[in-house]
mmCIF file of all heavy atoms in Angstrom:
data_model
loop_
_atom_site.group_PDB
_atom_site.id
_atom_site.type_symbol
_atom_site.label_atom_id
_atom_site.label_comp_id
_atom_site.label_asym_id
_atom_site.label_seq_id
_atom_site.Cartn_x
_atom_site.Cartn_y
_atom_site.Cartn_z
ATOM 1 N N HIS A 3 -128.958 -52.013 -49.476
ATOM 2 C CA HIS A 3 -127.965 -51.064 -48.993
ATOM 3 C C HIS A 3 -128.457 -50.575 -47.631
ATOM 4 O O HIS A 3 -129.370 -49.757 -47.545
ATOM 5 C CB HIS A 3 -127.841 -49.912 -49.996
ATOM 6 C CG HIS A 3 -126.710 -48.972 -49.703
ATOM 7 N ND1 HIS A 3 -126.659 -48.219 -48.563
ATOM 8 C CD2 HIS A 3 -125.597 -48.681 -50.409
ATOM 9 C CE1 HIS A 3 -125.560 -47.478 -48.587
ATOM 10 N NE2 HIS A 3 -124.896 -47.739 -49.705
ATOM 11 N N LEU A 6 -128.533 -46.738 -46.719
ATOM 12 C CA LEU A 6 -129.549 -46.024 -47.504
ATOM 13 C C LEU A 6 -130.945 -46.353 -46.980
ATOM 14 O O LEU A 6 -131.810 -45.479 -46.875
ATOM 15 C CB LEU A 6 -129.430 -46.393 -48.993
ATOM 16 C CG LEU A 6 -130.510 -45.812 -49.910
ATOM 17 C CD1 LEU A 6 -130.454 -44.284 -49.927
ATOM 18 C CD2 LEU A 6 -130.370 -46.340 -51.335
ATOM 19 N N GLY A 61 -123.993 -39.246 -51.708
ATOM 20 C CA GLY A 61 -122.969 -40.282 -51.583
ATOM 21 C C GLY A 61 -123.559 -41.685 -51.769
ATOM 22 O O GLY A 61 -123.013 -42.503 -52.504
ATOM 23 N N TYR A 62 -124.698 -41.939 -51.130
ATOM 24 C CA TYR A 62 -125.335 -43.261 -51.263
ATOM 25 C C TYR A 62 -125.747 -43.525 -52.713
ATOM 26 O O TYR A 62 -125.566 -44.631 -53.230
ATOM 27 C CB TYR A 62 -126.578 -43.370 -50.364
ATOM 28 C CG TYR A 62 -126.288 -43.275 -48.887
ATOM 29 C CD1 TYR A 62 -127.181 -42.638 -48.018
ATOM 30 C CD2 TYR A 62 -125.137 -43.843 -48.343
ATOM 31 C CE1 TYR A 62 -126.931 -42.557 -46.660
ATOM 32 C CE2 TYR A 62 -124.881 -43.766 -46.979
ATOM 33 C CZ TYR A 62 -125.774 -43.114 -46.145
ATOM 34 O OH TYR A 62 -125.530 -43.040 -44.803
ATOM 35 N N ILE A 63 -126.333 -42.497 -53.326
ATOM 36 C CA ILE A 63 -126.797 -42.670 -54.715
ATOM 37 C C ILE A 63 -125.617 -43.042 -55.600
ATOM 38 O O ILE A 63 -125.671 -44.000 -56.385
ATOM 39 C CB ILE A 63 -127.479 -41.370 -55.233
ATOM 40 C CG1 ILE A 63 -128.790 -41.120 -54.477
ATOM 41 C CG2 ILE A 63 -127.738 -41.444 -56.738
ATOM 42 C CD1 ILE A 63 -129.486 -39.811 -54.814
ATOM 43 N N GLU A 64 -124.541 -42.286 -55.458
ATOM 44 C CA GLU A 64 -123.371 -42.551 -56.300
ATOM 45 C C GLU A 64 -122.747 -43.908 -56.003
ATOM 46 O O GLU A 64 -122.327 -44.622 -56.911
ATOM 47 C CB GLU A 64 -122.357 -41.423 -56.160
ATOM 48 C CG GLU A 64 -122.732 -40.271 -57.084
ATOM 49 C CD GLU A 64 -122.055 -38.953 -56.734
ATOM 50 O OE1 GLU A 64 -121.099 -38.971 -55.922
ATOM 51 O OE2 GLU A 64 -122.498 -37.920 -57.262
ATOM 52 N N GLU A 65 -122.743 -44.256 -54.748
ATOM 53 C CA GLU A 65 -122.179 -45.544 -54.350
ATOM 54 C C GLU A 65 -122.941 -46.704 -55.007
ATOM 55 O O GLU A 65 -122.334 -47.612 -55.577
ATOM 56 C CB GLU A 65 -122.265 -45.651 -52.825
ATOM 57 C CG GLU A 65 -121.383 -46.717 -52.216
ATOM 58 C CD GLU A 65 -121.643 -46.837 -50.714
ATOM 59 O OE1 GLU A 65 -121.772 -45.802 -50.024
ATOM 60 O OE2 GLU A 65 -121.760 -47.978 -50.248
ATOM 61 N N VAL A 66 -124.254 -46.630 -54.940
ATOM 62 C CA VAL A 66 -125.064 -47.712 -55.520
ATOM 63 C C VAL A 66 -124.865 -47.769 -57.028
ATOM 64 O O VAL A 66 -124.717 -48.845 -57.621
ATOM 65 C CB VAL A 66 -126.567 -47.520 -55.179
ATOM 66 C CG1 VAL A 66 -127.433 -48.477 -55.983
ATOM 67 C CG2 VAL A 66 -126.800 -47.716 -53.685
ATOM 68 N N LYS A 67 -124.818 -46.588 -57.665
ATOM 69 C CA LYS A 67 -124.699 -46.572 -59.123
ATOM 70 C C LYS A 67 -123.333 -47.081 -59.598
ATOM 71 O O LYS A 67 -123.228 -47.723 -60.647
ATOM 72 C CB LYS A 67 -124.960 -45.158 -59.655
ATOM 73 C CG LYS A 67 -126.439 -44.798 -59.584
ATOM 74 C CD LYS A 67 -126.708 -43.394 -60.039
ATOM 75 C CE LYS A 67 -126.530 -43.278 -61.541
ATOM 76 N NZ LYS A 67 -126.762 -41.892 -61.979
ATOM 77 N N ALA A 68 -122.294 -46.768 -58.818
ATOM 78 C CA ALA A 68 -120.946 -47.124 -59.274
ATOM 79 C C ALA A 68 -120.536 -48.545 -58.855
ATOM 80 O O ALA A 68 -119.641 -49.142 -59.444
ATOM 81 C CB ALA A 68 -119.943 -46.127 -58.703
ATOM 82 N N SER A 69 -121.244 -49.080 -57.869
ATOM 83 C CA SER A 69 -120.808 -50.349 -57.276
ATOM 84 C C SER A 69 -121.008 -51.551 -58.198
ATOM 85 O O SER A 69 -121.913 -51.577 -59.034
ATOM 86 C CB SER A 69 -121.605 -50.559 -55.990
ATOM 87 O OG SER A 69 -121.505 -51.885 -55.581
ATOM 88 N N LYS A 70 -120.152 -52.544 -58.031
ATOM 89 C CA LYS A 70 -120.303 -53.789 -58.794
ATOM 90 C C LYS A 70 -121.264 -54.746 -58.088
ATOM 91 O O LYS A 70 -121.678 -55.760 -58.637
ATOM 92 C CB LYS A 70 -118.936 -54.460 -58.971
ATOM 93 C CG LYS A 70 -117.999 -53.661 -59.868
ATOM 94 C CD LYS A 70 -116.985 -54.574 -60.552
ATOM 95 C CE LYS A 70 -116.315 -53.890 -61.727
ATOM 96 N NZ LYS A 70 -115.689 -52.592 -61.391
ATOM 97 N N THR A 71 -121.598 -54.392 -56.843
ATOM 98 C CA THR A 71 -122.538 -55.229 -56.080
ATOM 99 C C THR A 71 -123.882 -55.266 -56.813
ATOM 100 O O THR A 71 -124.322 -54.252 -57.356
ATOM 101 C CB THR A 71 -122.793 -54.601 -54.692
ATOM 102 O OG1 THR A 71 -121.540 -54.251 -54.141
ATOM 103 C CG2 THR A 71 -123.556 -55.533 -53.792
ATOM 104 N N TYR A 73 -127.462 -55.003 -56.372
ATOM 105 C CA TYR A 73 -128.432 -54.612 -55.355
ATOM 106 C C TYR A 73 -129.820 -55.126 -55.716
ATOM 107 O O TYR A 73 -130.116 -55.397 -56.876
ATOM 108 C CB TYR A 73 -128.441 -53.083 -55.210
ATOM 109 C CG TYR A 73 -127.234 -52.580 -54.438
ATOM 110 C CD1 TYR A 73 -126.190 -51.928 -55.089
ATOM 111 C CD2 TYR A 73 -127.154 -52.780 -53.060
ATOM 112 C CE1 TYR A 73 -125.083 -51.486 -54.383
ATOM 113 C CE2 TYR A 73 -126.052 -52.335 -52.348
ATOM 114 C CZ TYR A 73 -125.021 -51.689 -53.008
ATOM 115 O OH TYR A 73 -123.942 -51.249 -52.305
ATOM 116 N N THR A 77 -133.650 -51.311 -53.761
ATOM 117 C CA THR A 77 -132.547 -50.344 -53.702
ATOM 118 C C THR A 77 -132.402 -49.620 -55.041
ATOM 119 O O THR A 77 -132.324 -48.391 -55.090
ATOM 120 C CB THR A 77 -131.222 -51.063 -53.352
ATOM 121 O OG1 THR A 77 -131.427 -51.825 -52.160
ATOM 122 C CG2 THR A 77 -130.092 -50.079 -53.160
ATOM 123 N N ILE A 78 -132.384 -50.380 -56.139
ATOM 124 C CA ILE A 78 -132.214 -49.779 -57.472
ATOM 125 C C ILE A 78 -133.363 -48.812 -57.775
ATOM 126 O O ILE A 78 -133.155 -47.684 -58.221
ATOM 127 C CB ILE A 78 -132.173 -50.880 -58.576
ATOM 128 C CG1 ILE A 78 -131.072 -51.907 -58.292
ATOM 129 C CG2 ILE A 78 -132.047 -50.274 -59.962
ATOM 130 C CD1 ILE A 78 -129.675 -51.448 -58.561
ATOM 131 N N VAL A 81 -133.144 -45.646 -55.657
ATOM 132 C CA VAL A 81 -132.089 -44.745 -56.126
ATOM 133 C C VAL A 81 -132.553 -43.989 -57.363
ATOM 134 O O VAL A 81 -132.336 -42.788 -57.494
ATOM 135 C CB VAL A 81 -130.777 -45.534 -56.390
ATOM 136 C CG1 VAL A 81 -129.826 -44.754 -57.270
ATOM 137 C CG2 VAL A 81 -130.115 -45.863 -55.057
#
Side-chain angles (χ1 to χ4, degrees):
H3 188 297
L6 175 63
Y62 296 144
I63 293 175
E64 277 163 13
E65 197 186 317
V66 169
K67 287 177 71 181
S69 164
K70 293 207 164 54
T71 313
Y73 284 106
T77 307
I78 304 285
V81 162

